[in-house]
Amino acid sequence: MDGIIDRLEIIQDDKSAAGSARPRLVIIGAGFGGLSAAMGLAHVAADVTVIDRRNHHLFQPLLYQVATAALSPADIAAPIRGILSRQANTDVTLGTVTGIDTAGRAVLIGERRIAYDQLVIATGARESYFGHDEWAAVTSGLKSIENATTMRRRILVAFECAEDCDDEAERRRLLTFVIIGGGPTGVELAGALAELARAALARDFRHIDPSTARIVLIEGGPRLLPSFPPGLSEKAARALARLGVEVRLDAMVTSCDRNGVAIGNERIYGRTLIWAAGVAASPAATWLGIKPGRGGRVPVGTDLTLPGHPEIFVIGDTAQVAGPGGPLPGVAPVANQQGTYVARVIAARLAGKPPSGPFRYRDFGNLATIGRHQAVVDFGWLRLTGRLAWLAWGVAHIYFLIGFRNRLAVAINWLWSYITYQRGARLITGQDM
Ligand SMILES: Cc1cc2nc3c(=O)[nH]c(=O)nc-3n(C[C@H](O)[C@H](O)[C@H](O)COP(=O)(O)OP(=O)(O)OC[C@H]3O[C@@H](n4cnc5c(N)ncnc54)[C@H](O)[C@@H]3O)c2cc1C
């Protein structure tokens, strides 16, 4: 039956390509880049197809709050069909892209082919374990809703197991949480985890004291938040120390297993190991049959097209784009602005207008939060720390969330946690312990 459906779909897709008089624009990925490209193409006279392997757009910057039980998954995700439902020229396809036939101009989803005249690849990034793929099995990553709920389960189950454990050494291991990677994700997770243990869970157990949980944040480089100015890195380290987080700098993890991690000869025993150390681009370079750039990214020109293929754009975390101080970082504003730019270029092409200038990234700054009312914000012209920074961080994140319901839900949840110290989403779901 599946085979028949697949064959019908192949025929349908090719037929609609041949029969359609309008140009076919295909966007792979409805993350920050793909969605802003799709929205920018709302009014062009073309058939737009958005393909994603998930049915929802995900606001990744708040994933750590799902992982630490502050927010529920639906607060930070919105259905792609719902977001694009008012765009009459846009169709959404649920499917995992497996390849691209650049000569035949078709995107491949298994055996299914979706023809394109112009293609935007915005498939983001995935975890990278620096050549130690086996560490994926013993650490929790944070790229998807499933990752976040798995991490939440492991964190909460660790406290439950400790409550039931009579062996002191094992209880210490259960209550030790190791976060590998001192970038924004690691710092935010460490702060949120410390608050979960020291405040939200503090009075809920009878045989253990959750506030004695050991939280270790390990960074291979000389300072936390390497993309921020050094002064803010120091402030972040001090804020974490006040929350009782052990920060280890210049510490390279050399092995990870079910019992903990090693930093050279030193062993840290811990049950919950969190990976926040590295990402690599989606396998788009393989689909395109080209040599990948740094971190598996696809090197593109200043107009974000693949060299020799003006009909293929690559944007966001998957693209390697030269910026003033090296390749542009893998952050949401870069992907957003590239999506908007690409939509403008395509619209101009369809209207027969001359090409616009090269892509230029406007950097509005960096933000990271460290718990309840601590954050560091670097706008370039202004640096903030403490409560004011935390407020700026909160406003920015609520503003950029998609959907009125999500904004309201997140604001209410934050306010509730702020007043009560409670974490409303402390649910253990799923199987693996
Ligand atoms: C935990 C975490 C915290 C972060 N915090 C911040 C932050 O505070 N500030 C900030 O600016 N940035 C942050 N980022 C980075 C930011 O989220 C990314 O830079 C941004 O999402 C990149 O956008 P994108 O469109 O390239 O990819 P994504 O937003 O990742 O979207 C890629 C889309 O492609 C889809 N896709 C992937 N492969 C396939 C396939 N084979 N077939 C079909 N669909 C596919 C995915 O399902 C997804 O919807 C964070 C990232 C993470 C993981």
Side-chain angles (χ1 to χ4, degrees):
M1 188 66 184
D2 278 355
I4 295 169
I5 290 171
D6 285 350
R7 274 197 295 281
L8 277 175
E9 280 173 341
I10 295 166
I11 294 162
Q12 267 181 359
D13 286 336
D14 281 347
K15 223 167 78 182
S16 55
S20 172
R22 305 212 308 171
R24 292 181 47 110
L25 313 177
V26 174
I27 299 169
I28 318 175
F32 286 99
L35 204 55
S36 60
M39 289 166 136
L41 292 166
H43 302 293
V44 299
D47 293 328
V48 181
T49 302
V50 176
I51 308 170
D52 203 295
R53 62 183 171 190
R54 302 209 182 87
N55 79 331
H56 54 268
H57 167 79
L58 177 61
F59 193 82
Q60 293 176 19
L62 289 180
L63 268 175
Y64 82 95
Q65 297 225 351
V66 173
T68 51
L71 294 174
S72 291
D75 294 338
I76 64 159
I80 300 163
R81 283 187 193 283
I83 299 167
L84 298 173
S85 62
R86 288 168 195 270
Q87 262 183 236
N89 68 346
T90 305
D91 197 8
V92 177
T93 292
L94 180 67
T96 301
V97 169
T98 49
I100 296 169
D101 173 2
T102 50
R105 295 201 176 177
V107 173
L108 312 180
I109 301 178
E111 290 200 359
R112 184 175 174 194
R113 294 170 64 85
I114 297 188
Y116 65 82
D117 298 308
Q118 301 196 58
L119 174 65
V120 181
I121 304 174
T123 37
R126 51 199 165 145
E127 251 99 25
S128 157
Y129 296 87
F130 307 131
H132 291 281
D133 288 349
E134 71 280 8
W135 294 357
V138 292
T139 58
S140 298
L142 196 59
K143 286 297 293 172
S144 63
I145 289 284
E146 293 83 355
N147 288 162
T149 52
T150 299
M151 192 182 289
R152 180 179 71 184
R153 175 172 68 246
R154 289 180 181 168
I155 291 169
L156 296 177
V157 164
F159 286 101
E160 296 294 338
C161 292
E163 173 83 345
D164 260 350
C165 177
D166 294 327
D167 181 81
E168 182 52 30
E170 176 60 3
R171 197 187 300 160
R172 284 309 304 154
R173 189 184 75 87
L174 290 166
L175 290 179
T176 299
F177 300 85
V178 181
I179 301 166
I180 305 156
T185 300
V187 165
E188 293 184 333
L189 267 169
L193 193 47
E195 287 191 335
L196 178 72
R198 319 262 189 262
L201 299 182
R203 282 183 297 172
D204 291 7
F205 291 86
R206 298 290 168 261
H207 305 288
I208 56 163
D209 175 1
S211 69
T212 61
R214 183 181 179 204
I215 298 156
V216 188
L217 176 61
I218 303 176
E219 164 59 36
R223 63 186 177 97
L224 297 177
L225 302 175
S227 56
F228 285 67
L232 293 184
S233 300
E234 276 162 32
K235 290 218 161 102
R238 279 204 295 274
L240 284 174
R242 279 198 297 278
L243 286 170
V245 175
E246 264 177 68
V247 176
R248 302 287 309 269
L249 300 175
D250 287 317
M252 291 301 284
V253 168
T254 46
S255 78
C256 291
D257 58 44
R258 295 213 173 271
N259 290 318
V261 301
I263 303 170
N265 291 330
E266 181 190 353
R267 184 100 175 115
I268 299 176
Y269 290 97
R271 180 186 195 267
T272 312
L273 312 180
I274 293 173
W275 185 259
V279 291
S282 71
T286 310
W287 302 336
L288 296 167
I290 60 149
K291 187 166 171 272
R294 257 172 80 175
R297 290 175 165 220
V298 175
V300 290
T302 53
D303 63 351
L304 309 182
T305 61
L306 185 68
H309 286 274
E311 77 286 8
I312 300 179
F313 298 84
V314 188
I315 62 173
D317 285 3
T318 292
Q320 181 178 304
V321 183
L328 292 179
V331 290
V334 169
N336 259 327
Q337 291 177 33
Q338 290 180 336
T340 307
Y341 169 85
V342 159
R344 249 198 340 262
V345 172
I346 294 175
R349 280 183 187 174
L350 294 179
K353 292 188 182 152
S356 43
F359 171 73
R360 279 191 218 292
Y361 173 51
R362 286 190 68 194
D363 186 356
F364 294 105
N366 268 331
L367 305 91
T369 176
I370 313 134
R372 207 169 135 77
H373 36 232
Q374 283 295 329
V376 287
V377 170
D378 173 26
F379 290 132
W381 53 277
L382 177 70
R383 287 176 191 164
L384 297 173
T385 55
R387 273 172 212 269
L388 206 58
W390 183 74
L391 217 62
W393 173 90
V395 169
H397 282 72
I398 288 186
Y399 177 78
F400 285 110
L401 264 177
I402 291 243
F404 174 73
R405 197 202 74 83
N406 298 48
R407 286 189 189 135
L408 197 65
V410 168
I412 291 170
N413 274 323
W414 281 354
L415 195 64
W416 176 251
S417 322
Y418 190 78
I419 296 167
T420 64
Y421 281 92
Q422 287 305 311
R423 297 290 175 102
R426 270 167 48 195
L427 309 180
I428 297 176
T429 55
Q431 293 300 317
D432 128 276
M433 298 294 268

